[in-house]
Amino acid sequence: ACFPTFECPAMTSQINRQYQLAQRPSGLPGRDTFSFVETPLGEPAEGQILVKNEYLSLDPAMRGWMNDARSYIPPVGIGEVMRALGVGKVLVSKHPGFQAGDYVNGALVVQDYFVGEPKGFYKVDPSRAPLPRYLSALGMTGMTAYFALLDVGQPKNGETVVISGAAGAVGSVAGQIARLKGCRVVGIAGGAEKCRFLVEELGFDGAIDYKNEDLAAGLKRECPKGIDVFFDNVGGEILDTVLTRIAFKARIVLCGAISQYNNKEAVRGPANYLSLLVNRARMEGMVVMDYAQRFPEGLKEMATWLAEGKLQSREDIVEGLETFPETLLKLFSGENFGKLVLKV
Ligand code: NAP
């Protein structure tokens, strides 16, 4: 009960539950991918902080971090606590940049408490937005949508923008921004309820339920003038089909390829890539971390749109650190509806 101060002797017996990476999965990760361990909670040393983790961001990218492969970030090591961004409350600070009581956003990893150097951490204000929103529209997810669409996709007024994974965290924000820029926006999502949400609640011009209708026919119906910008979160067959309907000088933003992350075989590449040649189009990858310096600019505009009611952010919050392995799988089955957040 005397937590959170170190004057309290009970503190030293505090337990920190952690999900450590136990083995590298082949295909979908499962409970045996991780060990759920209880470790004693240490005290922060000079330059470190102790944070009570409140919400963790569950991201498709986590699957990639489990692979022993070269990527834009090193993989999580076996025995290391699984990497995750999160928001939490500083309980003790021995770092000049933070004080007890501050709320922070950073790589808190999959555990109850974070003790360490707050490298890359920044403060968030819980009085301005609910904490989970700092992991969705006002966090890495929102910044991905914002910079991938505007900087890489460069949509122009009147153009047609198609988004895959459109009802997801990144896709739903990217689509709304494209609408704000005066584009015709068509979402591709799984299931009638997600498609209804896109059109009726987020104002998309059209939606295609790739699980229950023919995608090529849907694209023909919704994009009669072709596709100027394709914001791809999914890859695989969806990317290949969209390539058959791109317009002259189209831009394809490679944000993600979730359909390929759990492949046991080689990633499926686009067979229809000659469409890029014929249409003088380009396809470009994007990693949000490259835009870290510009986050303040993006966050300011996103916060304004949210405050003005021009942008909606939907979070899908699941409770309980212990549910992490099963909750993560919702991303790959499509069971999440909005930004998937784990309440610790
Ligand atoms: P999300 O879209 O909220 O959740 C994942 C969604 O993907 C699921 O709800 C599901 O929606 C769809 N999906 C899963 N498996 C699929 C499959 N086999 N085929 C088609 N759709 C499938 O997740 P998010 O966090 O916003 O991430 C979206 C994408 O952005 C991911 O590819 C992620 O890696 C990428 N991303 C990239 C960056 C970057 O810097 N490049 C940063 C953040 C995220 P349905 O119900 O519609 O199937």
Side-chain angles (χ1 to χ4, degrees):
C2 49
F3 205 53
T5 73
F6 267 93
E7 282 83 65
C8 169
M11 185 72 194
T12 48
S13 61
Q14 197 75 29
I15 291 295
N16 190 20
R17 297 176 304 158
Q18 303 179 317
Y19 270 105
Q20 300 175 352
L21 187 65
Q23 55 176 318
R24 303 208 179 276
S26 160
L28 279 173
R31 209 150 245 281
D32 60 353
T33 304
F34 308 97
S35 346
F36 193 36
V37 299
E38 294 192 345
T39 55
L41 182 61
E43 266 193 61
E46 220 36 62
Q48 296 188 337
I49 60 175
L50 166 68
V51 179
K52 165 75 186 77
N53 295 354
E54 305 263 4
Y55 295 94
L56 297 174
S57 173
L58 300 197
D59 293 284
M62 290 171 134
R63 180 61 190 85
W65 302 338
M66 296 174 201
N67 293 337
D68 193 12
R70 206 177 74 90
S71 186
Y72 58 91
I73 190 172
V76 176
I78 300 294
E80 280 177 18
V81 186
M82 185 59 206
R83 181 184 296 141
L85 294 174
V87 286
K89 186 178 184 180
V90 177
L91 301 182
V92 180
S93 177
K94 293 190 177 168
H95 185 285
F98 299 93
Q99 286 182 3
D102 285 345
Y103 283 85
V104 290
N105 188 325
L108 298 175
V109 311
V110 185
Q111 56 184 352
D112 289 315
Y113 299 96
F114 168 91
V115 184
E117 253 182 76
K119 229 178 126 192
F121 284 39
Y122 58 92
K123 288 182 213 173
V124 297
D125 183 350
S127 72
R128 299 186 68 129
L131 280 179
R133 193 137 304 159
Y134 291 105
L135 300 175
S136 59
L138 294 177
M140 189 273 291
T141 299
M143 293 300 90
T144 303
Y146 184 90
F147 288 108
L149 179 75
L150 298 181
D151 213 61
V152 184
Q154 299 188 0
K156 291 170 201 68
N157 189 29
E159 286 190 330
T160 298
V161 176
V162 171
I163 318 245
S164 62
V170 172
S172 61
V173 172
Q176 292 179 81
I177 298 173
R179 282 289 296 136
L180 288 168
K181 297 291 172 185
C183 298
R184 172 176 174 77
V185 182
V186 176
I188 303 171
E193 177 51 21
K194 287 188 179 180
C195 287
R196 190 204 60 77
F197 168 74
L198 292 177
V199 174
E200 290 178 18
E201 292 184 42
L202 300 187
F204 280 44
D205 299 281
I208 305 167
D209 175 0
Y210 77 94
K211 285 187 174 164
N212 297 297
E213 59 179 307
D214 180 61
L215 179 59
L219 290 170
K220 200 168 170 188
R221 179 188 74 227
E222 300 294 341
C223 312
K225 291 197 245 161
I227 297 158
D228 299 295
V229 177
F230 178 43
F231 190 113
D232 192 20
N233 290 309
V234 168
E237 208 178 319
I238 289 182
L239 168 59
D240 229 358
T241 305
V242 171
L243 277 173
T244 64
R245 295 211 58 86
I246 56 173
F248 183 71
K249 288 277 178 193
R251 285 82 68 198
I252 290 150
V253 184
L254 292 187
C255 177
I258 193 167
S259 71
Q260 306 297 306
Y261 294 173
N262 292 293
N263 275 10
K264 291 187 181 172
E265 308 84 37
V267 163
R268 176 183 164 159
N272 296 328
Y273 82 102
L274 286 183
S275 181
L276 298 172
L277 184 157
V278 173
N279 293 294
R280 290 77 149 178
R282 71 178 164 82
M283 202 164 176
E284 188 175 332
M286 183 275 180
V287 174
V288 64
M289 282 157 28
D290 296 348
Y291 290 88
Q293 298 299 320
R294 291 179 60 193
F295 281 3
E297 169 198 331
L299 289 171
K300 193 168 163 219
E301 189 153 33
M302 295 284 281
T304 305
W305 284 331
L306 282 166
E308 291 172 351
K310 292 179 179 162
L311 182 74
Q312 292 183 48
S313 175
R314 176 174 180 145
E315 292 88 33
D316 184 344
I317 300 170
V318 178
E319 210 164 320
L321 182 77
E322 63 285 352
T323 72
F324 166 69
E326 293 79 30
T327 304
L328 181 67
L329 292 183
K330 286 173 176 265
L331 293 168
F332 303 108
S333 62
E335 280 171 78
N336 69 304
F337 201 158
K339 169 68 203 162
L340 187 60
V341 172
L342 189 65
K343 185 175 189 312
V344 178

